Amino acid sequence: MNVRDEQVLRELNLYPLWVRRGMPVQEDVVPAPIVIETPEVLPEVKAEAPVAKAPSVADIHDVASTPEVASLDWTALKEKVRACDACKLRVSCTQTVFGVGDENADWLFVGEGPGAEEDAQGEPFVGQAGKLLDNMLFSIGLKRGENVYIANVVKCQPPADRKPEAAEIKTCLPYLKQQISLIKPKLIVALGKTAATALLGRDAPLGSLRGTPHDFHGIPLLVTYHPAYLLRSPGEKAKAWQDLKSAVSLME
Ligand code: URA
């Protein structure tokens, strides 16, 4: 592909191309395509379990970091999360999944909660959605762990990958808030509706939250699609690419 084609595709929101594994990529001309690892057999996409109780914005947003959590440094916070059994999620998960990356990062990406792979490995976004997130980061010149921190709203895997309940989010949110106050990121990217709702306290369609920066206690916050959703709805990837470009512009 020549540079002109690339520009046209960008104008049409069709670039970067999402390339199947095995397809040649001309790295000299195509600087940073988002490469989706497409296995021979597509991964089974679990249907989202019905939400037992939709997170209530009023319930979860007003939770202040408890003084106990707000005073913790990284070591103490990690230990607190590791030992946490404040909600029923801890009963069924293997381990807590704290977060990963540069603790002084400018970029913070926030997902919903660990899935099965994350529960097994103790690190956020290491499954299929994580591979896509890594590729999304790569497409804007970022890399997990380098000026990037990745965390989730809840630190324990919900059973059968259901959505976290309001009470679970409310219990866990002080940990994320304390992570944010320790990292002091320049930008927060909320991946999907659960993260957006929890951080913004606005229960609105995700589409309406995209596109404009929001404010999280003085930190700009952008909302985009969750990578797992993009795996199920590849047609929305062009919009996610727009969001990533907005994020880069905001950072500049
Ligand atoms: N989905 C999330 O929201 N977080 C993860 O860590 C993995 C999948």
Side-chain angles (χ1 to χ4, degrees):
M1 181 191 306
N2 62 38
V3 174
R4 186 171 156 66
D5 286 345
E6 179 191 320
Q7 280 167 346
V8 172
L9 286 170
R10 275 187 198 282
E11 289 301 316
L12 294 172
N13 287 348
L14 293 173
Y15 185 88
L17 299 175
W18 302 75
V19 198
R20 277 181 189 277
R21 183 164 56 185
M23 292 283 282
V25 174
Q26 296 172 45
E27 294 192 352
D28 51 340
V29 191
V30 185
I34 299 178
V35 179
I36 297 180
E37 291 288 322
T38 310
E40 304 314 320
V41 179
L42 287 171
E44 189 189 332
V45 175
K46 289 181 196 159
E48 284 185 14
V51 184
K53 181 183 170 198
S56 140
V57 173
D59 264 5
I60 58 184
H61 187 59
D62 284 342
V63 68
S65 278
T66 57
E68 192 192 338
V69 172
S71 63
L72 301 179
D73 63 13
W74 277 113
T75 310
L77 182 63
K78 285 174 191 168
E79 180 49 32
K80 179 93 181 156
V81 169
R82 198 197 58 74
C84 181
D85 59 0
C87 83
K88 62 181 180 301
L89 291 184
R90 186 65 190 91
V91 176
S92 50
C93 76
T94 307
Q95 59 186 319
T96 57
V97 178
F98 182 77
V100 69
D102 177 350
E103 293 174 356
N104 298 304
D106 289 339
W107 295 79
L108 171 64
F109 289 80
V110 180
E112 178 177 292
E117 295 275 349
E118 293 74 23
D119 178 66
Q121 294 187 41
E123 181 172 329
F125 284 101
V126 289
Q128 285 296 318
K131 284 188 186 130
L132 178 53
L133 177 60
D134 285 340
N135 287 329
M136 289 163 72
L137 296 178
F138 179 69
S139 76
I140 51 169
L142 296 175
K143 194 169 175 208
R144 178 184 292 247
E146 293 179 12
N147 203 22
V148 171
Y149 197 91
I150 303 172
N152 281 312
V153 172
V154 296
K155 311 303 188 202
C156 292
Q157 183 198 13
D161 283 340
R162 67 159 167 75
K163 290 205 174 287
E165 294 170 4
E168 293 156 355
I169 294 174
K170 185 175 178 178
T171 304
C172 218
L173 200 55
Y175 299 141
L176 176 61
K177 287 189 166 181
Q178 186 57 8
Q179 285 175 304
I180 295 172
S181 60
L182 290 169
I183 296 166
K184 299 183 192 70
K186 290 192 178 146
L187 178 68
I188 300 171
V189 180
L191 300 166
K193 186 165 170 172
T194 300
T197 302
L199 290 168
L200 290 177
R202 175 119 53 103
D203 194 358
L206 187 126
S208 71
L209 296 173
R210 291 179 50 246
T212 335
H214 305 271
D215 175 79
F216 182 81
H217 298 275
I219 302 169
L221 184 152
L222 281 177
V223 175
T224 190
Y225 295 103
H226 192 287
Y229 171 77
L230 294 175
L231 288 174
R232 293 191 298 270
S233 308
E236 304 288 47
K237 284 174 190 163
K239 292 187 197 159
W241 173 238
Q242 289 300 323
D243 297 338
L244 291 173
K245 287 196 293 183
S246 303
V248 171
S249 304
L250 209 64
M251 279 299 229
E252 284 165 0

